[in-house]
Amino acid sequence: MGQKHGSQAGSSPVPEDSFNRRTPYRKSGKKMKKDEIQLGEQTIHHMEAALPMPSSEEEVNEKFLKVAEELNIPLAQAEKMDIEKKWMIYCNRKLQANTTSDPSQYIHSVTDMSQKLVNGTEEDADVEENIKVANDLKTDLRTQPIEYGVRFISSKGLECLLNFLIQMNADVRQSHLHFIMIGCIRSLMNNPKCRAHILAHPVGIKIIAQSMKTGNEKVKIQVLEILGAVSLVPGGHNKVLEAMDEYKDFAGERTRFQTIMMDLYLSFEGGQDPSALQIAIMSFINALINFKAGEESLEMRLHLRYEFLMLGIEPCIYKLRALNLRDINNHLDIFDLVRGDDERDIATRLGIPDLVPGSTNSVVGAIVERTKFSPAQDHLRSALYHLCLLPIDDIYFSKYFLLVDRLVQQVVLQQDKGYDPDTALLKMNVEKLVFELVQEEKLLAMKNEIAELKEAREDLRVKLGARDRELETVRKENDNTRVELETLKVKADRLTAELTESQSREREFSVQNNDLRFKLEEILKGKDIKMEDLPAAPAPPPPPMGAPPPPPPVPGGPPPPPPPGVPGAPPPPPGAGLGGPPPPPMINLPPKNIPKPSAPLKSLNWTKLADIQVKDTVWLEVDDANAIRNLDLSNFENMFSAYQKPNAEEDMTATLSKKEVKELSLIDGKRSQNCTILLSRLKLTNYELRKIIMSVDKDDLLPKDMVEQLLKYVPTPEEVEALDAHKMELGKFAVSDRFLFEMSQIPHYNQRLECLFFKKTFADRMNEVRPKVEAVLYASREVMISRKLRKMLEVVLAFGNYMNKGKRGNAYGFKLSSLNNMIDTKSSADRNVTLLHYLVETLEKKFPDVVTMETELSNVREAARVSFGDLEKDLKDLRVSIKNAQKEVDYQKANPSGEIDDGFLVIMVDFTASMSDSFTQLEGMVAEMKERYERALKFFSEDSKLQPDEFFGIFSLFLQSFTDAKTENELVRKKKVEEEKRRKMMEEMERERERKRQARRAASQATGGVSNGDDLGNIKGLNKKTSGTGEFDDLIMALKTGEVFGVGDLNQKTKGGKKGKVPPKTRSSKTGGRERVPL
């Protein structure tokens, strides 16, 4: 570590130039005493050597060199010391070794601080003690020997500090304690071994970067200084980029470095000393752009610089220039000069001297020019064209361009072997992807061949499936035919037996009839009466199936009785005599004499009564013939003609001019007009529409809403009858009439259309019903197994039993609806606080995991919107539609149309089978849902008739009220915290001013160098003069002043009007120099 020299009595004074102006510890003005030696921040008082000094000067030097290495005393300074001073330092170090504090005490103290932050048990009295402990730790880490820091690291001291930074609450993040803790890490980084350990820590730099999320400007400055310096050391640049990537997600930034640029913007709005933050930001930006990966690659510098340009650094540069501060101007010169040189380099490389990176037209023109006459231009054109096709109304529209941007950045920046200098890019190997693109043609041929084989296999599978279905249909038809044949055979056998029996009886009756006729003739002979003189009797009714016909009646006598043994023979009608039974009453009304119209008329939509239905009604009393005689039939025909006639205009003689008939319309006017509008929207011919319906719209050409509209215009039986009566005049039909006529020619048109609509809407209807079923099913399970819900009910039950007395108390449970009554119970101490607010607060303190119980009840809100009535109606409608579809499939199987383009069975057989399976699964889920829901009602002892919207509505309303109460509690707490924070801030500001004054007076300064062989030894600006406060502090100071960029040479070249390169490393530039480009 560097030191500020004092002088022993008799020694020469320390040269003034040994004091480095870059140290953050300014001279206090206090003159060193002659008996003191200043080593960094450690003062060694002159004293008598506790040990006798060896006589050999070599032995003294040997012991002193070991101590000098521990104290990190520069070799140049050590050589200038006399032998007595060396021995005094050696003795003092030995004394310190016996009295040095144990770092484990600090680790224990910081661990306690972290634990209190986690438990929320930190008190105001702890703040001062914590700050004192942190300050002591920071001092020891800075002043104690290297081994002390190593012991601190080996005792998990770094992890302890990082854990504290992670566990900080909002108050500590803004406090001075946060600043001191970052200072402890900075002190550790002055120790080379500790610095190496910090850089090797997997998340150390990331956690340090997260400390930028604070309103404490000092913390931000210190963190930016650490990150800027880390980016200069080997392996640190990539660590810083990783840390900034992590910080983007941690702070919720839209893009990387957004917080840093926002702090730069806000620094112009005022503050005590904004220049310190501005210098820290600009030095960090320059270090990130111009060192390590940026130092080695022009593309990387352009890439990182463009990020800051996109965030609007240029307006900030204008304002910073106006401040005219030396250190800020140094960094602005570095930024502008390197930027100008890089832009000239890239313009020269591209061969486009007038390239303007900030102009979209200029950049696109450069790309087009570079790809001219190259196969790459086709891919460029394709990429730009497809970028134009990105959906601008998509919520991820900007993310698509971000993805393309990241891909191109990866291709540009990725180095050999897939190494990415910037961790913000996508994780992919560009070289490997390019190789795969080269092999794409071979793969494409193989894929095409595989696709053809798959297509052939799919066609074969479809054909086999169709053949299987045909065979199954034929098999079923054969089975049905076989059953029908068996039935007919049995029926035929029965009829044959009945016929044989009937014929036998007929012969018997014939014999009996002849005998009776012979006897009758014998009787009539004695009375001189001939058979021909007898009146003919009416024929008897036909015998029942299987019964022989009765014998003819005896002339003049009663009809013969029914033959014996004939079942079902009707008794003779009453009053039957020689004339036989009277015939049944029949009404044979004469046809009406209605004149025929001269032209077709519109039809009247009525239901005609049968002749037998008008008996004894008013219709036999009305005479429409008389009404027709009194009608003006000519006017009637003109008014209700089936032909659509244009309006006639009256001329001067008031005569009607007859117009030529254009269209024949038999349909109601309004219905016809609406149908015509629908057809105009369809934009399909009747033939095309017929083809779609016959094929069940296999190509999905007809939207389902159009099918729904078509169902409204299915021709009625009356319309079909009227249209058929005039089909010979089809050419004169109106558009709607012709449409209805042609659709009526489709077999089972109405049923086919309904099946088509059901097929198109089945999936949507299932998707409407299934989520409702699932919501109730899952919600029923959630409320029964939720551990957090049970704990909450337990606390509420405890509240109620504690509050209620008598019959209302000593309860083992309560109705769930009581949960929503807690908001009505207000606190007597604060009317704005209810029992629900108190419940939330209690759960947060005693059972914090219960506060998130809604995560275990994720389906309750959705289930609260489900009604069993509506659900059953939906299921019933689905069930009826499925039945109708299956019925139509069965009909089409039994009555095939025979038309070539009829694809109904091909489509609907598979569809009905599939939908039946889906609906069966849904019904199984419904049954499970009802069972689980009933168990849930029983589980909470609720009424079994309670509907889901009522039962889960209780939980839904309570969860919403619970969330509102939680939010209100947080707002109240935040208000109290803000008030307390303002009070503490005022007190802290006053204490900080006093500490700052004391620190200035106590700060020490010294001269020295950087230890040889360290990782900082090759950095420009550190190998000449150092402050003595520590290597890492010297690096930060050199970064702040710009010396690491060679700012001294830069100023000389700028004054001399020459172009210089900054930083002075070898670049890929071909212009030979840099100059600041006006912005």
Side-chain angles (χ1 to χ4, degrees):
M1 300 172 72
Q3 294 87 7
K4 176 185 173 183
H5 288 282
S7 60
Q8 197 177 7
S11 63
S12 61
V14 178
E16 180 62 28
D17 61 354
S18 66
F19 169 66
N20 192 327
R21 293 190 300 268
R22 294 170 293 160
T23 179
Y25 303 100
R26 302 299 182 187
K27 287 184 177 181
S28 62
K30 181 179 178 182
K31 189 175 181 180
M32 294 292 297
K33 298 179 180 179
K34 291 184 177 182
D35 57 351
E36 294 178 346
I37 299 175
Q38 187 72 21
L39 296 176
E41 293 186 357
Q42 182 181 4
T43 302
I44 300 177
H45 298 275
H46 180 73
M47 59 184 175
E48 294 296 331
L51 299 174
M53 184 171 64
S55 59
S56 173
E57 186 173 345
E58 293 181 0
E59 183 178 354
V60 174
N61 287 331
E62 182 180 356
K63 292 183 177 182
F64 172 74
L65 287 176
K66 293 181 180 180
V67 174
E69 184 178 358
E70 293 177 0
L71 296 175
N72 205 18
I73 299 176
L75 184 59
Q77 184 179 356
E79 290 176 351
K80 296 179 181 180
M81 294 183 183
D82 56 33
I83 192 69
E84 294 180 357
K85 186 180 297 184
K86 292 179 181 179
W87 184 249
M88 184 178 67
I89 293 174
Y90 173 78
C91 294
N92 187 70
R93 174 68 187 96
K94 289 298 182 181
L95 178 62
Q96 282 185 343
N98 297 327
T99 59
T100 299
S101 60
D102 186 358
S104 61
Q105 297 176 356
Y106 290 116
I107 295 172
H108 180 72
S109 299
V110 176
T111 302
D112 286 345
M113 294 182 203
S114 302
Q115 192 62 40
K116 288 181 179 180
L117 291 175
V118 173
N119 298 333
T121 57
E122 185 183 25
E123 299 179 358
D124 294 342
D126 297 332
V127 175
E128 293 292 338
E129 180 63 24
N130 292 343
I131 291 176
K132 182 180 183 304
V133 170
N135 269 322
D136 292 344
L137 173 59
K138 176 182 174 183
T139 302
D140 281 357
L141 291 175
R142 181 179 294 275
T143 59
Q144 292 291 342
I146 293 176
E147 283 73 13
Y148 183 84
V150 174
R151 289 204 309 274
F152 182 82
I153 290 291
S154 62
S155 301
K156 304 295 183 182
L158 176 61
E159 286 74 9
C160 181
L161 291 175
L162 296 177
N163 185 57
F164 176 86
L165 296 179
I166 293 174
Q167 302 295 345
M168 285 187 302
N169 56 32
D171 290 337
V172 177
R173 187 172 287 276
Q174 312 297 333
S175 68
H176 185 62
L177 179 59
H178 187 190
F179 173 76
I180 299 173
M181 286 300 185
I182 295 294
C184 292
I185 295 178
R186 177 168 169 171
S187 298
L188 274 175
M189 299 190 81
N190 278 306
N191 187 324
K193 295 180 180 180
C194 297
R195 180 167 62 249
H197 187 85
I198 294 173
L199 291 175
H201 196 280
V203 294
I205 302 300
K206 295 177 183 178
I207 295 174
I208 295 171
Q210 290 174 2
S211 289
M212 284 193 297
K213 189 177 181 182
T214 177
N216 192 325
E217 189 174 293
K218 292 182 180 181
V219 175
K220 289 184 179 181
I221 294 172
Q222 193 162 215
V223 172
L224 286 169
E225 289 176 349
I226 292 174
L227 294 178
V230 167
S231 65
L232 306 182
V233 303
H237 192 272
N238 193 261
K239 286 277 187 180
V240 173
L241 288 176
E242 288 181 356
M244 297 312 299
D245 288 336
E246 291 282 341
Y247 183 79
K248 177 173 74 72
D249 297 331
F250 175 77
E253 294 181 328
R254 179 180 56 86
T255 184
R256 192 167 58 171
F257 308 124
Q258 184 178 349
T259 298
I260 295 175
M261 290 306 303
M262 184 59 67
D263 289 337
L264 186 58
Y265 278 121
L266 298 176
S267 67
F268 298 104
E269 296 182 0
Q272 294 181 348
D273 186 13
S275 62
L277 179 60
Q278 293 164 353
I279 291 172
I281 292 174
M282 288 307 302
S283 61
F284 170 77
I285 293 173
N286 281 330
L288 205 61
I289 293 175
N290 295 291
F291 272 86
K292 301 307 173 185
E295 186 177 14
E296 299 163 359
S297 169
L298 170 63
E299 290 80 4
M300 187 64 182
R301 292 197 302 277
L302 293 170
H303 164 69
L304 291 174
R305 185 184 298 112
Y306 195 71
E307 284 195 61
F308 291 105
L309 291 173
M310 291 291 289
L311 288 170
I313 195 175
E314 284 187 299
C316 295
I317 292 177
Y318 289 134
K319 295 180 180 180
L320 290 172
R321 286 284 183 193
L323 298 178
N324 197 25
L325 298 176
R326 186 188 64 181
D327 288 344
I328 292 180
N329 287 339
N330 286 342
H331 284 288
L332 298 180
D333 290 340
I334 293 165
F335 183 88
D336 290 344
L337 290 171
V338 178
R339 176 189 177 188
D341 197 13
D342 287 346
E343 290 179 355
R344 286 193 300 275
D345 286 352
I346 194 64
T348 302
R349 180 187 299 182
L350 301 179
I352 306 174
D354 55 347
L355 175 65
V356 181
S359 170
T360 304
N361 293 334
S362 176
V363 173
V364 173
I367 299 174
V368 174
E369 187 66 27
R370 289 199 72 196
T371 58
K372 188 182 295 184
F373 310 117
S374 166
Q377 192 168 62
D378 294 335
H379 299 297
L380 172 65
R381 189 183 304 111
S382 174
L384 294 176
Y385 175 73
H386 285 89
L387 287 175
C388 293
L389 298 181
L390 289 175
I392 193 170
D393 55 346
D394 196 312
I395 58 174
Y396 299 113
F397 181 68
S398 62
K399 300 300 181 184
Y400 298 146
F401 282 89
L402 175 61
L403 175 60
V404 174
D405 185 21
R406 291 284 176 83
L407 287 171
V408 177
Q409 290 179 30
Q410 187 88 1
V411 173
V412 172
L413 295 178
Q414 193 171 89
Q415 301 172 359
D416 296 338
K417 300 180 181 179
Y419 170 72
D420 294 320
D422 189 353
T423 58
L425 304 179
L426 302 175
K427 302 301 181 185
M428 68 178 187
N429 191 314
V430 176
E431 184 179 354
K432 182 179 179 181
L433 291 177
V434 172
F435 176 77
E436 291 177 357
L437 289 176
V438 173
Q439 302 297 322
E440 185 175 0
E441 293 184 0
K442 298 180 181 179
L443 294 175
L444 184 60
M446 295 177 64
K447 288 179 180 178
N448 290 337
E449 185 177 355
I450 293 173
E452 292 175 0
L453 292 174
K454 287 183 177 179
E455 185 176 355
R457 185 184 67 179
E458 184 66 20
D459 292 341
L460 182 60
R461 189 187 67 80
V462 173
K463 291 179 181 178
L464 289 175
R467 183 64 57 86
D468 290 341
R469 289 192 294 273
E470 291 175 2
L471 291 175
E472 183 65 23
T473 302
V474 171
R475 190 180 296 109
K476 289 181 179 179
E477 291 176 353
N478 289 339
D479 294 339
N480 294 336
T481 304
R482 190 179 300 108
V483 172
E484 291 176 359
L485 286 175
E486 293 293 335
T487 304
L488 291 175
K489 184 178 179 181
V490 171
K491 187 175 181 181
D493 293 342
R494 181 172 58 80
L495 292 175
T496 302
E498 290 177 354
L499 179 61
T500 303
E501 184 181 358
S502 176
Q503 290 174 349
S504 175
R505 290 182 179 180
E506 184 179 0
R507 284 192 297 269
E508 292 177 2
F509 280 118
S510 176
V511 172
Q512 294 177 5
N513 185 37
N514 289 335
D515 291 342
L516 290 174
R517 184 178 183 83
F518 177 77
K519 292 178 181 180
L520 182 62
E521 287 179 352
E522 289 294 330
I523 296 172
L524 293 177
K525 283 181 180 180
K527 296 184 178 183
D528 196 17
I529 301 175
K530 295 182 179 181
M531 293 286 290
E532 293 77 4
D533 297 336
L534 295 175
M545 180 64 69
V554 179
V566 180
L578 295 176
M586 296 292 293
I587 298 180
N588 294 319
L589 298 178
K592 291 182 179 257
N593 186 19
I594 300 175
K596 294 184 178 180
S598 60
L601 299 179
K602 291 182 178 293
S603 60
L604 176 61
N605 187 11
W606 68 9
T607 302
K608 179 182 175 182
L609 295 176
D611 290 351
I612 195 172
Q613 292 179 291
V614 300
K615 181 183 178 183
D616 299 330
T617 67
V618 69
W619 298 109
L620 291 179
E621 300 178 6
V622 298
D623 185 6
D624 57 330
N626 182 47
I628 287 179
R629 286 193 293 269
N630 294 321
L631 290 178
D632 185 354
L633 298 182
S634 175
N635 181 55
F636 189 90
E637 291 179 9
N638 184 59
M639 294 297 295
F640 299 101
S641 173
Y643 295 100
Q644 296 290 336
K645 297 182 179 180
N647 295 330
E649 296 180 355
E650 293 185 356
D651 56 9
M652 297 299 294
T653 61
T655 60
L656 295 173
S657 62
K658 296 184 179 180
K659 302 294 181 179
E660 182 181 358
V661 175
K662 291 185 178 181
E663 290 183 340
L664 175 62
S665 178
L666 305 172
I667 310 302
D668 176 70
K670 186 174 182 181
R671 177 173 167 84
S672 175
Q673 181 183 5
N674 292 338
C675 182
T676 304
I677 294 173
L678 172 62
L679 294 175
S680 66
R681 292 173 58 192
L682 280 174
K683 298 180 181 179
L684 294 170
T685 64
N686 293 344
Y687 173 77
E688 292 172 337
L689 187 57
R690 183 184 188 282
K691 188 175 181 181
I692 289 173
I693 293 172
M694 292 296 291
S695 65
V696 201
D697 196 12
K698 64 179 181 179
D699 296 326
D700 199 20
L701 301 175
L702 205 59
K704 56 189 174 185
D705 59 327
M706 289 293 115
V707 180
E708 185 178 12
Q709 292 299 318
L710 284 173
L711 283 170
K712 299 178 182 178
Y713 297 97
V714 173
T716 64
E718 292 78 13
E719 291 173 342
V720 172
E721 182 180 357
L723 293 169
D724 282 341
H726 299 85
K727 62 183 177 182
M728 301 304 296
E729 300 178 86
L730 183 62
K732 295 181 180 180
F733 274 13
V735 174
S736 57
D737 293 59
R738 182 160 188 146
F739 163 74
L740 294 177
F741 174 77
E742 293 186 6
M743 293 302 105
S744 68
Q745 303 305 306
I746 298 176
H748 263 223
Y749 169 68
N750 187 15
Q751 291 79 0
R752 287 174 180 265
L753 200 58
E754 288 177 348
C755 287
L756 175 59
F757 181 66
F758 178 58
K759 176 178 175 292
K760 287 182 174 290
T761 58
F762 177 73
D764 293 340
R765 293 167 69 179
M766 287 288 287
N767 291 335
E768 288 178 3
V769 175
R770 190 185 300 275
K772 297 178 181 179
V773 177
E774 291 176 346
V776 177
L777 176 64
Y778 298 151
S780 300
R781 180 177 179 273
E782 289 170 355
V783 296
M784 291 179 66
I785 67 173
S786 173
R787 182 185 57 82
K788 297 178 181 180
L789 176 62
R790 292 189 188 188
K791 178 59 69 175
M792 184 275 297
L793 294 175
E794 178 183 300
V795 175
V796 175
L797 182 62
F799 282 0
N801 279 328
Y802 187 73
M803 297 172 72
N804 295 334
K805 302 295 182 182
K807 294 182 179 181
R808 300 186 64 192
N810 196 27
Y812 283 93
F814 57 87
K815 287 290 183 182
L816 292 177
S817 57
S818 306
L819 290 172
N820 295 316
N821 296 334
M822 287 193 294
I823 199 170
D824 299 327
T825 305
K826 297 186 179 296
S827 168
S828 54
D830 186 351
R831 300 295 294 174
N832 294 324
V833 177
T834 66
L835 184 59
L836 183 59
H837 291 90
Y838 188 79
L839 171 66
V840 173
E841 185 178 356
T842 301
L843 293 176
E844 287 176 337
K845 290 180 179 179
K846 304 296 184 181
F847 312 102
D849 60 324
V850 179
V851 178
T852 60
M853 62 181 161
E854 189 168 0
T855 58
E856 295 183 351
L857 306 172
S858 56
N859 289 282
V860 166
R861 292 185 186 272
E862 189 65 27
R865 292 194 284 267
V866 178
S867 168
F868 273 167
D870 296 339
L871 186 60
E872 289 294 342
K873 182 178 180 301
D874 294 339
L875 291 171
K876 181 179 178 181
D877 292 343
L878 272 172
R879 196 176 292 111
V880 170
S881 298
I882 292 174
K883 182 179 179 181
N884 291 339
Q886 186 62 53
K887 182 179 179 182
E888 181 61 19
V889 169
D890 295 339
Y891 173 84
Q892 293 292 339
K893 286 181 179 179
N895 304 277
S897 67
E899 298 188 21
I900 298 176
D901 59 348
D902 189 355
F904 184 86
L905 289 177
V906 176
I907 301 296
M908 292 301 297
V909 168
D910 289 343
F911 172 71
T912 52
S914 173
M915 71 179 178
S916 296
D917 292 342
S918 300
F919 188 72
T920 301
Q921 294 176 4
L922 180 62
E923 286 184 318
M925 185 182 294
V926 171
E928 183 184 358
M929 173 206 69
K930 290 182 177 179
E931 179 186 359
R932 194 176 291 275
Y933 177 67
E934 290 172 359
R935 287 165 55 191
L937 290 176
K938 185 177 180 181
F939 185 75
F940 288 98
S941 189
E942 294 292 330
D943 187 357
S944 60
K945 297 180 181 180
L946 212 59
Q947 293 292 308
D949 53 347
E950 298 172 325
F951 177 67
F952 293 112
I954 295 173
F955 290 104
S956 179
L957 179 58
F958 174 74
L959 290 174
Q960 184 60 50
S961 301
F962 188 89
T963 302
D964 294 342
K966 179 182 174 184
T967 304
E968 291 167 3
N969 284 354
E970 290 176 354
L971 291 176
V972 171
R973 282 196 297 268
K974 284 182 179 180
K975 185 177 180 181
K976 292 181 179 179
V977 169
E978 289 295 330
E979 293 175 353
E980 182 65 19
K981 180 180 174 182
R982 282 193 294 269
R983 184 186 64 80
K984 290 183 177 180
M985 187 177 295
M986 297 300 295
E987 296 176 356
E988 179 64 22
M989 287 175 62
E990 184 60 32
R991 289 194 296 267
E992 180 62 23
R993 292 191 191 98
E994 182 61 28
R995 280 200 293 276
K996 199 171 183 180
R997 287 192 291 266
Q998 295 177 2
R1000 287 198 192 98
R1001 289 193 295 265
S1004 60
Q1005 302 154 354
T1007 60
V1010 179
S1011 299
N1012 295 329
D1014 187 36
D1015 56 352
L1016 309 183
N1018 295 325
I1019 298 178
K1020 187 177 180 66
L1022 294 182
N1023 53 1
K1024 295 180 180 179
K1025 298 184 293 182
T1026 55
S1027 66
T1029 59
E1031 295 171 344
F1032 198 73
D1033 287 336
D1034 293 334
L1035 178 59
I1036 291 175
M1037 185 52 61
L1039 179 62
K1040 289 171 63 176
T1041 59
E1043 291 188 21
V1044 294
F1045 303 103
V1047 72
D1049 298 336
L1050 173 68
N1051 291 334
Q1052 292 178 3
K1053 292 177 181 179
T1054 304
K1055 292 178 182 178
K1058 297 179 181 180
K1059 300 175 183 178
K1061 290 189 177 183
V1062 181
K1065 298 288 183 182
T1066 302
R1067 301 285 192 185
S1068 59
S1069 172
K1070 299 180 182 179
T1071 59
R1074 288 188 171 90
E1075 63 182 8
R1076 183 157 63 89
V1077 179
L1079 301 176

